[in-house]
Amino acid sequence: MRFVADALNLTPPAAKRLEERNILRSAFIKHPFFPDIVEALKLEKKFGEFEEGTLIVKTNHGLEIVRGYPKIRRALTLYPTLKRHFKGDVVIEEKMNGYNVRIVLFGNNLYAITRRGFICPYTTEKARELINESFFSDNPSLMLCCEAVGMESPYVMKDVYDVKGLDFFVFDVRDRRTNIPLPVEKKIKLSEEYDFKIAPVLKKCSVEKAHIECRNVIEELGEGGREGVVIKDPEMVTSPVKYTASQSNTSDLSYAFRYFNDYGKDFMLSRIVREAFQSFEFGESVEELEKRCERLGRAILKSMVESIENVANGRKVTEKHRLRFRSEGVMYLFMQQIRKMGVEVIFHEPKFEKGYHVLEFERVLVSTTDKIRHHLEGNLW
Ligand code: ATP
Ligand code: MG
């Protein structure tokens, strides 16, 4: 606790408030794989200027803070929202669909931190394998904000990107202590210099044309199963805005309704509302609207019926993952970490294949499974 107050530079009353609000949680499991860390805590909620997911670490060398990745607000209509929010020019980047990872260097080793502030053993092993560390020797105060995408993902699996297993795509480079981002050009330059992959920069244009340019790219992205766009101020002073393709909204819905009792109603409603605003703004023809309705209906119903069928056949509602680890120790550490995160999982017997320890596991959607069973047994809602 004491080191947290010191690291965050809190006055004694503020430190007390932090303790009372009970928003600090352990962020890692002590292990030789994390040799530089003595203690690590994360913020479960925003506290003052510090975002949720902010990590406070006592290393062998001192105190470190890694700020949480800020929320990105969403446009429901492209026009006039973009025009009202930005001035001058904007950059349109692809919004990739994976999980948010901040990569930093402590001591001599890289560490990969999830959105909520956990130091993830699996992601850390991948980062040490794939990310050119010399970037951090040259820029020790910076962090790489990346989307980790691919099928070998413990969190969000997508097969629409051309990656083997899992890979990192940098979308922001920020000061890890102040959270101040570098301008987009600077990010691109550094990424070229150190050979990082980046989330594709699709267009640069004046804000007057931004809604048209977004409209032009969004349909193509959607058809390719890609998520959408993030619109940014080239200087990264004005906060970015996100906008997603219909196919991505509906694929989220299909996912959420498959696990309907484990997902918040807000998650579902917001995605349906997005579809309505997009349909309105795009001035669709009768046929196009029909198609959208079909897509939405299918997304909501089909996966839910599948879940009911599963439970009716005596199975649980689960999500299957397959990960590969170089080190057996890291694999067991990851298994411990998942349990610590409070996720219900069934681990299958690990296998050794072509130099990798292969771990298959199923996340059990307990609440959805129980709810379905309850009703199939004849209970009332
Ligand atoms: P948020 O609180 O940021 O809205 P969320 O969990 O609801 O978070 P998303 O709807 O996926 O997240 O949108 C924001 C996320 O998009 C970022 O946290 C980041 O992980 C991801 N992302 C993918 N590509 C980009 C990009 N080019 N620029 C910024 N963020 C991106
Ligand atoms: Mg996302």
Side-chain angles (χ1 to χ4, degrees):
M1 248 329 281
R2 187 58 197 282
F3 82 94
V4 175
D6 288 346
L8 300 181
N9 226 340
L10 299 181
T11 58
K16 186 136 185 285
R17 217 171 349 113
L18 184 65
E19 203 157 350
E20 281 165 4
R21 281 184 60 195
N22 210 2
I23 54 172
L24 282 174
R25 217 178 133 189
S26 155
F28 88 125
I29 296 169
K30 214 167 167 42
H31 189 277
F33 188 56
F34 301 138
D36 310 274
I37 304 184
V38 181
E39 201 172 342
L41 295 170
K42 67 192 198 70
L43 285 183
E44 300 272 286
K45 286 196 195 96
K46 196 170 159 58
F47 182 78
E49 62 170 330
F50 300 101
E51 302 78 6
E52 176 182 344
T54 293
L55 184 71
I56 305 129
V57 183
K58 189 170 171 180
T59 67
N60 298 326
H61 321 276
L63 296 179
E64 304 283 356
I65 293 181
V66 182
R67 296 283 291 272
Y69 191 77
K71 272 205 145 343
I72 299 181
R73 302 201 49 201
R74 175 180 298 274
L76 281 194
T77 53
L78 292 165
Y79 185 89
T81 315
L82 298 179
K83 204 166 135 69
R84 275 191 57 175
H85 185 81
F86 295 100
K87 279 197 292 286
D89 290 340
V90 296
V91 176
I92 302 170
E93 290 185 7
E94 178 176 342
K95 179 179 197 302
M96 300 183 79
N97 196 359
Y99 61 103
N100 180 302
V101 176
R102 286 161 285 152
I103 300 174
V104 296
L105 183 81
F106 297 140
N108 297 319
N109 296 289
L110 294 185
Y111 291 84
I113 307 158
T114 65
R115 186 79 191 270
R116 294 181 49 209
F118 283 111
I119 300 173
C120 174
Y122 170 71
T123 318
T124 297
E125 187 186 63
K126 285 278 172 215
R128 289 182 191 171
E129 188 178 316
L130 296 170
I131 296 290
N132 176 1
E133 230 182 80
S134 65
F135 168 79
F136 294 96
S137 340
D138 302 339
N139 307 279
S141 63
L142 298 182
M143 62 178 170
L144 298 175
C145 303
C146 316
E147 198 72 358
V149 305
M151 283 304 281
E152 290 182 9
S153 167
Y155 313 111
V156 180
M157 293 181 287
K158 286 280 163 194
D159 63 2
V160 296
Y161 305 104
D162 187 20
V163 303
K164 246 174 82 202
L166 188 88
D167 211 344
F168 299 101
F169 291 80
V170 174
F171 52 76
D172 280 0
V173 179
R174 293 173 173 258
D175 184 288
R176 69 191 196 192
R177 159 95 227 198
T178 64
N179 223 352
I180 294 174
L182 299 184
V184 175
E185 275 307 327
K186 196 90 203 279
K187 165 191 79 177
I188 297 173
K189 261 237 166 79
L190 282 173
S191 298
E192 274 169 10
E193 191 179 334
Y194 293 94
D195 217 13
F196 301 142
K197 295 176 180 148
I198 60 171
V201 176
L202 303 172
K203 275 259 150 60
K204 286 175 207 164
C205 65
S206 78
V207 68
E208 307 296 326
K209 287 201 176 135
H211 62 284
I212 301 167
E213 296 293 358
C214 284
R215 171 83 198 263
N216 285 342
V217 293
I218 203 78
E219 270 160 54
E220 207 179 308
L221 286 171
E223 277 159 24
R226 289 163 178 259
E227 190 179 17
V229 290
V230 180
I231 303 102
K232 295 180 175 172
D233 166 14
E235 294 307 314
M236 291 296 281
V237 176
T238 307
S239 56
V241 166
K242 61 190 179 189
Y243 186 80
T244 45
S246 172
Q247 290 82 351
S248 162
N249 299 336
T250 44
S251 114
D252 278 4
L253 280 168
S254 156
Y255 184 85
F257 276 93
R258 179 183 304 278
Y259 310 127
F260 67 92
N261 222 43
D262 288 81
Y263 275 86
K265 307 275 180 292
D266 279 1
F267 185 93
M268 298 157 176
L269 181 64
S270 63
R271 281 156 179 81
I272 297 172
V273 172
R274 288 177 204 168
E275 282 300 281
F277 276 91
Q278 188 173 83
S279 173
F280 163 76
E281 182 170 20
F282 288 7
E284 290 172 328
S285 67
V286 177
E287 294 89 69
E288 282 166 337
L289 179 59
E290 279 303 316
K291 258 179 135 171
R292 192 189 287 271
C293 292
E294 242 175 64
R295 193 160 61 225
L296 183 68
R298 195 177 308 111
I300 289 175
L301 264 184
K302 212 170 164 196
S303 59
M304 209 163 22
V305 175
E306 279 166 15
S307 287
I308 297 172
E309 269 166 9
N310 259 322
V311 178
N313 290 322
R315 291 189 292 270
K316 291 178 177 169
V317 179
T318 66
E319 183 183 60
K320 296 182 178 60
H321 296 264
R322 180 179 184 277
L323 305 179
R324 292 181 305 152
F325 295 81
R326 278 290 180 204
S327 143
E328 191 175 21
V330 175
M331 178 178 71
Y332 285 111
L333 184 61
F334 171 78
M335 291 163 79
Q336 248 181 297
Q337 172 75 35
I338 285 283
R339 290 252 150 81
K340 183 184 164 89
M341 289 165 74
V343 186
E344 181 83 21
V345 280
I346 301 168
F347 290 114
H348 296 211
E349 194 56 43
K351 282 178 275 197
F352 189 74
E353 273 171 23
K354 297 182 187 147
Y356 284 97
H357 299 271
V358 181
L359 175 66
E360 291 183 336
F361 66 93
E362 294 177 55
R363 183 156 81 93
V364 184
L365 287 301
V366 180
S367 168
T368 303
T369 305
D370 290 351
K371 179 85 175 156
I372 294 174
R373 191 179 296 137
H374 184 72
H375 292 306
L376 288 178
E377 283 166 356
N379 292 295
L380 301 173
W381 181 281

